[in-house]
Amino acid sequence: METPYFLISESRLKENILAFQNALAEIWPNSSLAYSVKTNSLPWLLKYLNKENVLAEVVSDEEYHLAKLCGFSDEDIVFNGPIKGEETLKNALEGNAYVNVDSQKDLEYIKQNCPESALIGIRVNVDPEVFQKNDIGYQEDGFRFGFSEKNGAFAEALEIIMKYSKNTKLGIHLHCNSITRSLDVYKSIAKYAKNLIKKYDLELSFIDIGGGFFGGVEGKPTPKQYIGCIKEVLETVVDMSKTKLIAEPGSAIIGSVVDLHTRVLDAKDTDYAHIVTTDGSRVHIDPLWGKSRYMYSIKQREKTSEKEKQVICGYTCMDHDRLMVIENQPELQVGDEIIYHRVGAYSMTFGGMFIRYYPNVFVEKENGIERVRTAISTEEYVEIHS
């Protein structure tokens, strides 16, 4: 197949989904698995997840509408984030989506327009001091999302919701980004939730614990371990048969099941290095341009002797489009393949159409390979931007 292209393993995708679904069913049966659409919003993937009874977690009007187009009902959507549009927020509340408020604008809408009955959660601005310093990177300025309990914003949001939507099924949302994704992170989140529940005597319809989990990675915490440590903390303050637990994995579902296949276009020596140019780029698999190492494998057309150092570069005209340096590996020749593994998160839909346009995406199924996204042509690019 013509490179570059992404290849999704359907079998591994199914394994990751089942790992979370089975863990939730065993440990907290009153629960829902919700996929973080922003992590990879490929329509084929969303349709597949919908058929697997996974909810869609969205953070914009566009993502909400995309989820609807891909088969999700309002009741199958978790609507998060601080940029909700008024019309979409209205539809979400009236349609019984899970709506986690995260801005003053959300609260103002509830004051004016909230239906009598709705599923409304409050995004909590968790105090970074409850975490180990090595687990998160926001000690100095704290997290940017949610309502702070310390300064009274959480209590104010709670009062508004209970006053203006008296039949609300109340929830709390406690997603926190972390560096380590350790079990201690989720124990700390659960303990923070426990303290809020006790302090405000909350009767919750749902607790949305957020995402940021490992998934499909050997040697890392498993879904059962994550859900188990959350249950251990919260089971003493909630009736698990009445309070639904929502988990929002993104990378843990799609990250480990996607490969990017690239091919060597040129190899040359400069005065300082051996440069290998490929038809892949950091645009495809490193949208934040921060990585220097990947899991990868090489397919050669002919065996060659080892080269001490090779600088693997992308197709763009930017000198810093250097994916990695490989040492003491077979010398790469034009036509050889480099395959990057576990690159499904924040890649194929985040990278953009810089210099070259979106490549093909294929799915490896039991009975063969199916193309689920066709590479964007120049004519289509013009149409999109006209």
Side-chain angles (χ1 to χ4, degrees):
M1 294 186 290
E2 182 181 351
T3 55
Y5 63 88
F6 289 101
L7 182 63
I8 302 170
S9 168
E10 184 179 36
S11 62
R12 284 187 282 147
L13 173 62
K14 179 74 170 179
E15 286 175 8
N16 285 352
I17 294 167
L18 283 175
F20 272 94
Q21 287 180 329
N22 290 341
L24 287 165
E26 177 183 336
I27 298 168
W28 199 307
N30 180 21
S31 58
S32 288
L33 180 64
Y35 170 74
S36 168
V37 169
K38 62 183 174 291
T39 309
N40 187 323
S41 56
L42 186 72
W44 175 88
L45 174 62
L46 301 185
K47 292 174 183 178
Y48 183 91
L49 291 163
N50 178 244
K51 290 177 182 177
E52 295 296 321
N53 298 313
V54 179
L55 307 184
E57 183 266 323
V58 304
V59 292
S60 69
D61 294 2
E62 290 84 353
E63 285 190 348
Y64 198 104
H65 299 152
L66 174 63
K68 294 294 292 290
L69 287 171
C70 290
F72 292 89
S73 67
D74 293 287
E75 293 178 350
D76 296 328
I77 296 175
V78 179
F79 197 12
N80 292 334
I83 60 166
K84 304 177 186 76
E86 188 171 298
E87 187 64 27
T88 310
L89 179 56
K90 175 180 183 292
N91 292 337
L93 288 167
E94 292 178 354
N96 251 3
Y98 295 90
V99 176
N100 289 316
V101 298
D102 197 4
S103 69
Q104 291 300 323
K105 183 181 175 184
D106 290 347
L107 293 177
E108 287 302 316
Y109 181 87
I110 287 170
K111 284 182 181 179
Q112 302 296 325
N113 304 287
C114 192
E116 275 292 306
S117 178
L119 286 162
I120 302 177
I122 303 172
R123 174 77 182 261
V124 179
N125 185 264
V126 179
D127 187 344
E129 292 182 2
V130 305
F131 300 97
Q132 299 292 325
K133 287 188 176 181
N134 65 309
D135 281 331
I136 63 167
Y138 301 98
Q139 278 87 2
E140 185 175 342
D141 295 320
F143 297 105
R144 40 175 299 226
F145 300 106
F147 295 91
S148 168
E149 197 276 328
K150 270 188 175 180
N151 67 10
F154 175 83
E156 182 182 349
L158 179 62
E159 182 180 358
I160 289 170
I161 291 167
M162 301 312 292
K163 178 178 179 181
Y164 291 94
S165 183
K166 295 179 181 177
N167 294 319
T168 286
K169 295 177 181 177
L170 183 69
I172 54 175
H173 178 211
L174 301 106
H175 176 75
C176 297
N177 294 321
S178 75
I179 297 169
T180 62
R181 307 186 193 186
S182 71
L183 295 175
D184 286 339
V185 170
Y186 294 89
K187 289 177 185 176
S188 296
I189 293 172
K191 288 175 183 176
Y192 202 82
K194 178 178 179 177
N195 291 336
L196 287 178
I197 292 166
K198 291 173 69 176
K199 180 174 180 178
Y200 294 92
D201 194 23
L202 299 177
E203 294 186 11
L204 298 176
S205 290
F206 65 93
I207 298 174
D208 186 336
I209 207 70
F213 308 97
F214 278 113
V217 182
E218 190 175 344
K220 300 298 183 181
T222 65
K224 286 184 72 171
Q225 289 175 313
Y226 283 124
I227 305 306
C229 76
I230 292 164
K231 175 196 173 183
E232 187 179 332
V233 175
L234 290 176
E235 65 181 339
T236 60
V237 291
V238 300
D239 183 339
M240 293 169 56
S241 66
K242 296 179 180 178
T243 302
K244 174 175 285 192
L245 180 68
I246 300 174
E248 299 177 348
S251 299
I253 297 295
I254 191 62
S256 65
V257 308
V258 179
D259 296 336
L260 176 71
H261 289 245
T262 70
R263 202 177 302 276
V264 175
L265 302 177
D266 184 58
K268 67 182 181 183
D269 288 309
T270 68
D271 291 340
Y272 296 92
H274 184 72
I275 303 296
V276 178
T277 300
T278 70
D279 58 9
S281 169
R282 289 175 73 173
V283 168
H284 291 131
I285 54 176
D286 185 19
L288 301 181
W289 292 71
K291 295 182 179 179
S292 59
R293 295 188 305 167
Y294 299 91
M295 293 187 64
Y296 70 94
S297 56
I298 293 171
K299 285 185 180 179
Q300 289 191 284
R301 298 196 300 179
E302 297 179 0
K303 288 186 177 180
T304 58
S305 57
E306 286 189 358
K307 189 82 172 174
E308 183 179 355
K309 178 181 177 181
Q310 301 176 80
V311 182
I312 311 301
C313 301
Y315 64 79
T316 73
C317 62
M318 297 180 296
D319 210 315
H320 63 291
D321 188 5
R322 306 175 184 218
L323 289 95
M324 60 182 177
V325 173
I326 61 175
E327 297 178 335
N328 302 316
Q329 294 290 317
E331 183 174 353
L332 294 167
Q333 307 290 323
V334 172
D336 291 345
E337 284 191 61
I338 304 175
I339 304 159
Y340 300 90
H341 306 294
R342 296 181 178 176
V343 294
Y346 302 101
S347 55
M348 65 179 69
T349 53
F350 197 159
M353 295 194 283
F354 179 65
I355 299 181
R356 303 187 74 182
Y357 310 137
Y358 287 148
N360 286 308
V361 179
F362 297 92
V363 175
E364 186 175 19
K365 298 171 171 281
E366 285 185 6
N367 57 352
I369 291 178
E370 175 189 350
R371 180 161 55 185
V372 297
R373 185 181 78 184
T374 302
I376 299 292
S377 68
T378 306
E379 289 77 14
E380 288 169 319
Y381 179 85
V382 171
E383 186 178 347
I384 289 168
H385 293 282
S386 297

